[in-house]
Amino acid sequence: KTQVEQSPQSLVVRQGENCVLQCNYSVTPDNHLRWFKQDTGKGLVSLTVLVDQKDKTSNGRYSATLDKDAKHSTLHITATLLDDTATYICVVESNYNVLYFGSGTKLTVEP
Amino acid sequence: EAAVTQSPRNKVTVTGGNVTLSCRQTNSHNYMYWYRQDTGHGLRLIHYSYGAGNLQIGDVPDGYKATRTTQEDFFLLLELASPSQTSLYFCASSERDRVSNERLFFGHGTKLSVL
């Protein structure tokens, strides 16, 4: 059973538009939640890490929320750029450094 | 600067071949991981280690061996490669007990094709 579900699977936006990516999970315990950006065929680059029961982070045009009660996280990208085209992966970290990965949301930013 | 370096970046072998994927981290991290990434799946954990000489089995270990020779080096071994092992392999390192955005690092990946 998939423990981390991301939606949508893919998303196309126009440059300058905002977008929201969703992550729902069933992992217990859910110590931390991370969002990664993965360019095609490349490694994963960390965008943000969320820790608290109800947490919010901001990193430039990226902002994220976490609600551990709902086991739900969102990643907001503001004023998208062409370079934002990538797959965004939600990762839930449980005990003993065990990581649970979502399949990712493939974002395409068009001119 | 923290880094995880994988080699080779690309590898092609034949069914039954012997392959070793290498990973080196300069982060002084205790934990190191090997994942495979396939279309339609999240990253799946093959093996991991929390220190030199230690090895833990992950979620998809069949057909793989691993060895952690030093704190820096973690190797993934495919002794009889099969086409089902064609995949993109990632190595990662992490540090326990510190929460920061820079705590978990991934390598750039090794693309393995088994013909």
Side-chain angles (χ1 to χ4, degrees):
Chain A
K1 182 182 180 296
T2 303
Q3 298 204 51
V4 181
E5 298 272 4
Q6 291 188 242
S7 61
Q9 282 191 319
S10 62
L11 179 62
V12 180
V13 299
R14 285 282 175 88
Q15 184 176 349
E17 292 180 341
N18 303 333
C19 64
V20 182
L21 283 58
Q22 312 282 349
C23 178
N24 289 286
Y25 61 92
S26 58
V27 177
T28 299
D30 48 348
N31 298 337
H32 311 122
L33 188 144
R34 300 171 185 270
W35 284 93
F36 286 89
K37 178 184 179 185
Q38 183 182 24
D39 293 314
T40 302
K42 300 282 181 65
L44 282 70
V45 176
S46 180
L47 296 175
T48 191
V49 57
L50 300 126
V51 179
D52 295 332
Q53 197 70 17
K54 293 195 191 305
D55 204 356
K56 287 184 180 181
T57 61
S58 182
N59 178 12
R61 294 181 298 103
Y62 300 103
S63 61
T65 65
L66 173 62
D67 182 343
K68 287 189 178 181
D69 292 330
K71 291 191 180 292
H72 177 70
S73 176
T74 61
L75 177 69
H76 298 248
I77 306 176
T78 304
T80 53
L81 303 172
L82 296 178
D83 282 347
D84 291 333
T85 294
T87 297
Y88 292 83
I89 298 175
C90 172
V91 183
V92 180
E93 183 175 346
S94 192
N95 286 346
Y96 310 108
N97 285 39
V98 176
L99 305 174
Y100 295 86
F101 290 80
S103 297
T105 292
K106 187 173 181 180
L107 174 66
T108 302
V109 181
E110 294 183 338
Chain B
E1 183 179 314
V4 177
T5 304
Q6 291 182 232
S7 63
R9 295 292 297 270
N10 289 282
K11 176 73 177 178
V12 179
T13 190
V14 295
T15 300
N18 193 323
V19 176
T20 298
L21 307 185
S22 303
C23 178
R24 166 163 280 216
Q25 55 103 356
T26 58
N27 309 320
S28 299
H29 286 168
N30 291 326
Y31 283 78
M32 294 186 74
Y33 311 81
W34 276 107
Y35 292 93
R36 61 178 289 172
Q37 186 180 37
D38 305 289
T39 304
H41 293 275
L43 273 72
R44 293 182 289 176
L45 182 64
I46 304 170
H47 290 296
Y48 67 102
S49 165
Y50 55 73
N54 175 265
L55 181 64
Q56 302 295 318
I57 294 172
D59 299 322
V60 290
D62 292 344
Y64 301 96
K65 292 183 179 179
T67 178
R68 181 89 176 268
T69 54
T70 64
Q71 187 178 23
E72 293 79 19
D73 298 301
F74 195 30
F75 299 93
L76 186 68
L77 313 168
L78 292 73
E79 294 181 331
L80 285 171
S82 72
S84 65
Q85 294 175 308
T86 293
S87 187
L88 184 58
Y89 291 85
F90 285 101
C91 176
S93 74
S94 75
E95 181 62 47
R96 207 172 177 178
D97 300 328
R98 282 198 308 122
V99 177
S100 74
N101 211 22
E102 292 73 40
R103 171 172 177 238
L104 175 60
F105 294 97
F106 283 84
H108 285 98
T110 295
K111 187 175 180 181
L112 174 66
S113 299
V114 183
L115 306 178

